Amino acid sequence: MADRSIRIGGLTLKNPIIAASGCFGFGEEYNEFYDVARLGGVCTKGLTRRPREGNPPPRVFETPCGLLNSIGLQNPGVDAFIREELPMMKEMGLVVIANVWAECAEEYGEAVEILSRSAVDVIEINISCPNVPGQVIVGAQAQQAAEVVRRCRSLCDKPLWVKLPPTAQIDAAQAVEEQGADAICAVNTFRGLAIDIETGRPIFANTFAGLSGPAIRPLALQVVYQLAAAVEIPVIGIGGITSWQDAVEFIMAGAHAVQIGTANFIDPLASMKIVEGLQQFMEDRRLHSWEEIRGCAHEGSPL
Ligand code: SIN
């Protein structure tokens, strides 16, 4: 009998499919389409210490095989999340991954400390949002990334995953591993630009926006392949995954699990279809566990 579960640090997920932050709300709407508890886990929208209204519209713009977004982390804040959303998520039986963003290491620490006393299962430190005016992407800098993770680790006993930008270098991944991260999530959106040719101005108020969807998949896969070879902790692959075949590619590149984002907007059943497709793949290939193919694309792999 195949074991479809995966282990990330001390945590076991029933399968390697996780709904990505920002593309799944808090899970409730998708639960009308299928039992969301059948997913390995659900990442919340990026949460901040205090509520945020987000960026002015427009906030999304479709591109060939992709989606630019400039949401700007609209969210109710960690206290309201814990009070109003988390009980419903736990009642639904979800493994809850709280995605957290902040302006500085101290503020990350504050939000993470509050969440660490709640019922969330994992905290995903988001050091890769490209959409906040005037803010650098901390995850692109090894030293700054390490400082945030050090601070959060000292305040939290729950599993800490760190979501990196596509521009993160191997040294940033290794630096957060050294500070006690339990997993690396790669990648967040690529910074992109769209211009309205009638006005000659950028479409988005914040000029740049984050590109996701199949357009970025081979680029994300390349990053995951490299990171998986460079760190010991699990890598969770993200970037344009829309089918179970895409998910298999990421596992073969070395990912322990994958997150499904933009595909949920195209087809609300996408994540569940990927769970089922992977299950069938395991049976067809007579795999006993994901370990048998994880990282097989790397040179020197036994496969
Ligand atoms: C946003 O809210 O603008 C996107 C969040 C992210 O990319 O981390």
Side-chain angles (χ1 to χ4, degrees):
M1 170 82 181
D3 177 6
R4 296 193 291 270
S5 70
I6 49 135
R7 273 189 79 72
I8 299 180
L11 185 75
T12 300
L13 303 182
K14 56 170 79 81
N15 62 59
I17 302 302
I18 299 165
S21 174
C23 302
F24 214 74
F26 297 108
E28 200 176 12
E29 292 83 1
Y30 286 89
N31 215 41
E32 291 173 18
F33 293 95
Y34 61 89
D35 177 8
V36 170
R38 289 177 61 203
L39 300 178
V42 171
C43 286
T44 69
K45 173 65 192 152
L47 300 165
T48 48
R49 174 68 191 89
R50 311 211 186 280
R52 279 178 69 96
E53 292 204 341
N55 293 341
R59 287 178 164 187
V60 289
F61 183 78
E62 215 173 315
T63 64
C65 296
L67 183 72
L68 282 165
N69 91 79
S70 179
I71 309 299
L73 294 156
Q74 180 186 354
N75 80 97
V78 285
D79 295 329
F81 162 73
I82 290 169
R83 216 174 38 242
E84 289 158 25
E85 308 290 352
L86 184 57
M88 172 271 298
M89 295 181 86
K90 294 310 292 182
E91 213 164 283
M92 280 161 59
L94 308 185
V95 171
V96 178
I97 300 140
N99 180 289
V100 178
W101 184 90
E103 288 193 5
C104 61
E106 287 68 33
E107 198 180 284
Y108 272 107
E110 272 180 47
V112 163
E113 193 174 18
I114 293 169
L115 283 163
S116 73
R117 294 195 299 262
S118 78
V120 303
D121 298 282
V122 176
I123 297 172
E124 181 179 70
I125 307 173
N126 177 356
I127 49 173
S128 45
C129 175
N131 294 335
V132 185
Q135 284 287 316
V136 297
I137 298 177
V138 165
Q141 308 291 331
Q143 210 180 330
Q144 289 184 36
E147 190 189 334
V148 168
V149 177
R150 185 183 317 122
R151 176 101 192 154
C152 295
R153 183 76 288 169
S154 70
L155 295 166
C156 166
D157 291 330
K158 296 210 188 252
L160 277 183
W161 299 357
V162 180
K163 188 165 180 178
L164 292 178
T167 50
Q169 303 292 319
I170 282 169
D171 63 343
Q174 290 173 335
V176 304
E177 176 177 37
E178 232 167 74
Q179 295 306 325
D182 293 289
I184 281 166
C185 305
V187 295
N188 205 329
T189 52
F190 283 72
R191 212 169 229 170
L193 172 66
I195 294 173
D196 179 339
I197 60 167
E198 295 304 321
T199 63
R201 302 290 306 152
I203 297 277
F204 293 104
N206 194 30
T207 308
F208 304 128
L211 181 66
S212 62
I216 69 166
R217 192 173 63 239
L219 303 168
L221 187 64
Q222 177 269 143
V223 175
V224 166
Y225 180 94
Q226 297 217 30
L227 292 182
V231 296
E232 299 289 324
I233 53 176
V235 175
I236 298 170
I238 321 167
I241 298 166
T242 56
S243 68
W244 65 264
Q245 291 92 334
D246 299 341
V248 170
E249 270 196 271
F250 275 77
I251 294 169
M252 289 179 163
H256 274 62
V258 295
Q259 294 186 6
I260 314 299
T262 309
N264 294 300
F265 296 141
I266 301 164
D267 175 3
L269 298 175
S271 296
M272 185 42 57
K273 286 180 183 168
I274 296 172
V275 169
E276 287 167 356
L278 286 184
Q279 189 172 326
Q280 191 60 49
F281 172 79
M282 269 191 127
E283 280 168 28
D284 293 348
R285 286 287 197 99
R286 296 195 163 81
L287 296 179
H288 298 101
S289 80
W290 289 114
E291 257 170 67
E292 289 172 39
I293 60 159
R294 185 181 306 129
C296 69
H298 289 256
E299 214 173 302
S301 150
L303 265 194

